[in-house]
């Protein structure tokens, strides 16, 4: 028996799943990118310190360089922890999305989740810079604005974008067979009525 199109409960669940799951995914996605960038910078800085130390000589290396080297090592492991945490957050976003969609009998919750995540992952890259630009435009400070307001814009934008994308994909994956069968039935009744022979009157008999 074919599933019916999206019910009002499924419509609401797709909005909630998108808002919650995309907020989690967006945080993990941004954290993943920043962690990778930080790891690259930390590795470059650590190598630079080692090169300078080797050039000067191990006995003549000031304590400052030693401290910088230790700090670079600590930063490296902090970024590794952030990277792992970001991946865990992305995984949780997938689980939460599938769970919320399946809870209301949404059709193809895994397909809806992966398609929505793929679309938002691409859009989030461009929207991140839009959030930074908006945060800079509404404040006088080029530093405090992006640092303080960008997360706020990202949170609001992420909720709206997630709800819209998840609803659109869930709507696209809904089962249309019930509507099509209804339309075919109506056309079939019309065709049957047209093809039915006219009743024979007694005079004609």
């Amino acid at each position: 028996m074919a599933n019916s199109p999206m019910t009002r409960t499924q419509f609401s669940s797709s909005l909630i799943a998108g808002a919650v799951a995309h907020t989690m995914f967006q945080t993990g996605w941004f954290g993943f990118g920043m962690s990778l960038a930080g790891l690259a910078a930390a590795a470059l800085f650590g190598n630079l310190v080692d090169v300078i130390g080797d050039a000067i000589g191990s006995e003549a290396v000031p304590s400052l360089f030693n401290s910088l080297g230790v700090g670079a090592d600590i930063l490296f492991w902090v970024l590794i922890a952030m990277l792992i945490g970001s991946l865990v957050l992305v995984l949780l976003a997938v689980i939460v999305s599938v769970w919320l969609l399946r809870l209301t009998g949404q059709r193809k919750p895994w397909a809806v989740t992966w398609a929505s995540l793929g679309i938002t992952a691409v859009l989030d890259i461009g929207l991140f810079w839009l959030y930074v630009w908006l945060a800079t435009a509404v404040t006088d400070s080029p530093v405090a604005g992006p640092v303080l307001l960008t997360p706020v814009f990202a949170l609001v934008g992420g909720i709206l974008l997630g709800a819209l994308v998840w609803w659109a994909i869930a709507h696209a994956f809904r089962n249309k067979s019930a509507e099509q069968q209804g339309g075919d039935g109506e056309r079939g009744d019309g065709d049957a009525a047209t093809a039915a022979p006219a009743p024979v009157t007694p005079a004609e008999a």
Side-chain angles (χ1 to χ4, degrees):
M1 182 176 179
N3 294 330
S4 61
M6 287 180 66
T7 63
R8 182 170 299 180
T9 303
Q10 292 172 339
F11 169 77
S12 301
S13 72
S14 66
L15 296 180
I16 296 173
V20 175
H22 181 242
T23 300
M24 299 172 64
F25 171 77
Q26 179 181 250
T27 304
W29 182 234
F30 288 162
F32 179 78
M34 289 186 292
S35 298
L36 285 181
L39 284 173
L44 180 62
F45 180 75
N47 290 333
L48 182 61
V49 171
D50 292 338
V51 169
I52 294 176
D54 293 338
I56 297 177
S58 58
E59 296 180 355
V61 174
S63 59
L64 175 62
F65 284 101
N66 291 330
S67 300
L68 290 176
V70 174
D73 293 337
I74 296 175
L75 180 61
F76 174 80
W77 290 110
V78 170
L79 291 172
I80 288 293
M82 289 180 57
L83 185 66
I84 297 174
S86 299
L87 293 176
V88 170
L89 199 57
V90 170
L91 178 61
L92 289 176
V94 175
I95 296 174
V96 168
S97 174
V98 173
W99 177 70
L100 289 174
L101 293 174
R102 183 176 290 173
L103 195 64
T104 55
Q106 192 71 250
R107 187 169 180 262
K108 295 185 178 180
W110 284 101
V112 172
T113 297
W114 289 121
S116 301
L117 289 176
I119 293 173
T120 54
V122 176
L123 294 178
D124 284 338
I125 297 174
L127 289 174
F128 172 77
W129 298 108
L130 176 62
Y131 300 146
V132 175
W133 178 80
L134 288 174
T136 305
V138 299
T139 57
D140 297 331
S141 174
V143 177
V147 171
L148 298 177
L149 291 181
T150 298
V152 177
F153 288 134
L155 176 62
V156 176
I159 292 174
L160 296 177
L161 177 65
L164 178 62
V165 171
W166 257 256
W167 168 79
I169 299 300
H171 188 267
F173 276 99
R174 79 192 193 282
N175 197 328
K176 299 180 181 179
S177 59
E179 295 176 351
Q180 293 173 352
Q181 288 177 357
D184 293 341
E186 292 174 359
R187 289 193 297 270
D189 293 341
D191 295 339
T194 304
V200 179
T201 60
E204 293 175 345

